[in-house]
Amino acid sequence: GWDIVLCDYVLPGFGAEEALRILQTSGIDVPFIVLSGIVRTRDVIEVLRSGADDFIDKNDLDRLAPSVERALREAEERRALRQSEIALHDSEQRFRVIFEETVAGIALIGIDAEILSANPAFLRILNIDAPLPQNQKWTDFTHQDDLGQSLELFDDLISGKTDVIRQDKHYVGADGTAVLAHLVATAVRDSDGKFLYGVAIIEDVGEQRHIEAQLRQAQKMEAVGQLTGGIAHDFNNLLTIVMGNLELLQVRLKGDGHGEKSVLTALSAV
């Protein structure tokens, strides 16, 4: 591709302004420098206003090399800026998808504890009706028993004393229901390290704990069932032995009315 366009101001049947329009229409971003042996201020102003990078007098070509270098440098800076903007846009789109679709609650928290933004999962976990009301603070939804520790941790995050907060804490939903959640929070800072906002991620572990408790209970019942089955099996083995001995005893006592009656009573009990 082209690195730069050098164009004479006046050419037979063609001119710099027309060439500049063609270049701009093509969408190719390369520097465009105009050269002319006759320089009129009006022409210079018009060409530069149209988008040319420079206008060089052919009688002063010493300016050409520095002008080319500057134009190439600025073009490279523009390309780098566009790439950065594209990368930033892609990053924002990926974050937006994660923010909106993840099952974990995510909120952006201001330095004054205000909830700047919250995803649908965050609102659902704390039973907050969408859209998020203005001037809501995370302290409004923190249980009083955990508020003191939570404030201390948040102050440490703002000051930079800690980089990440991890806490199992009790929240109070907008409808007054108790919510047990695991919190992970981190800080976003500027280039000087100043706190800009916090990113808080919460996961409702109350239901998880309930399921875990149910699983433990089921495992206990299964163990009891296995133990009971084992005992029953051993007991049946003993009864088999007892019944066998009683039947042998019945044969030996045949003719002994009293003894035979006792054996029959014992067999019927087994």
Side-chain angles (χ1 to χ4, degrees), residues 7-262:
C7 182
D8 202 318
Y9 183 69
V10 178
L11 294 171
F14 197 66
E17 293 182 352
E18 186 176 354
L20 180 58
R21 282 194 296 271
I22 293 174
L23 179 64
Q24 292 171 336
T25 302
S26 72
I28 300 173
D29 183 14
V30 296
F32 188 94
I33 296 177
V34 179
L35 297 94
S36 179
I38 301 174
V39 178
R40 294 183 300 182
T41 303
R42 183 182 61 186
D43 296 336
V44 173
I45 294 174
E46 188 63 31
V47 169
L48 295 178
R49 183 179 294 169
S50 298
D53 291 87
D54 205 349
F55 195 114
I56 302 295
D57 185 347
K58 290 182 179 180
N59 299 311
D60 188 16
L61 291 180
D62 289 344
R63 288 188 54 238
L64 182 59
S67 179
V68 168
E69 291 177 356
R70 176 183 56 80
L72 290 173
R73 183 174 61 253
E74 291 176 351
E76 181 60 32
E77 290 173 353
R78 287 196 301 271
R79 283 191 288 269
L81 179 59
R82 281 197 301 273
Q83 290 299 320
S84 298
E85 291 173 345
I86 292 172
L88 178 60
H89 179 266
D90 291 344
S91 178
E92 289 175 345
Q93 287 296 105
R94 288 193 296 270
F95 175 78
R96 178 55 56 184
V97 171
I98 295 172
F99 186 80
E100 294 293 339
E101 302 299 333
T102 183
V103 296
I106 304 176
L108 307 183
I109 308 298
I111 195 170
D112 59 352
E114 182 180 355
I115 303 174
L116 304 175
S117 179
N119 73 341
F122 188 91
L123 301 181
R124 175 181 52 78
I125 291 172
L126 295 183
N127 299 304
I128 302 172
D129 292 332
L132 176 71
Q134 291 185 344
N135 302 319
Q136 288 283 322
K137 298 187 176 184
W138 63 260
T139 51
D140 298 333
F141 301 99
T142 299
H143 195 281
Q144 288 297 317
D145 292 347
D146 291 339
L147 184 57
Q149 182 187 23
S150 296
L151 286 170
E152 289 180 7
L153 291 172
F154 188 60
D155 287 342
D156 289 344
L157 188 66
I158 292 174
S159 66
K161 187 176 180 179
T162 185
D163 294 323
V164 180
I165 293 174
R166 290 184 175 86
Q167 182 187 18
D168 283 339
K169 59 181 293 186
H170 295 83
Y171 290 89
V172 179
D175 59 353
T177 57
V179 179
L180 176 61
H182 179 68
L183 164 71
V184 177
T186 187
V188 176
R189 307 180 188 278
D190 64 16
S191 58
D192 296 324
K194 182 180 179 181
F195 181 90
L196 296 177
Y197 58 88
V199 179
I201 302 174
I202 63 173
E203 179 185 7
D204 185 351
V205 296
E207 182 64 22
Q208 178 183 341
R209 300 282 172 84
H210 178 66
I211 294 173
E212 289 174 351
Q214 288 183 323
L215 178 60
R216 286 194 295 270
Q217 182 64 24
Q219 290 172 338
K220 289 180 182 178
M221 295 303 296
E222 182 181 359
V224 170
Q226 291 175 348
L227 178 61
T228 302
I231 293 174
H233 178 72
D234 293 341
F235 189 65
N236 285 333
N237 289 338
L238 291 174
L239 287 179
T240 300
I241 295 173
V242 171
M243 289 179 65
N245 286 323
L246 286 174
E247 289 170 352
L248 289 174
L249 184 59
Q250 183 182 24
V251 173
R252 291 181 181 180
L253 294 176
K254 191 171 183 179
D256 182 346
H258 179 71
E260 193 172 5
K261 183 179 179 181
S262 298

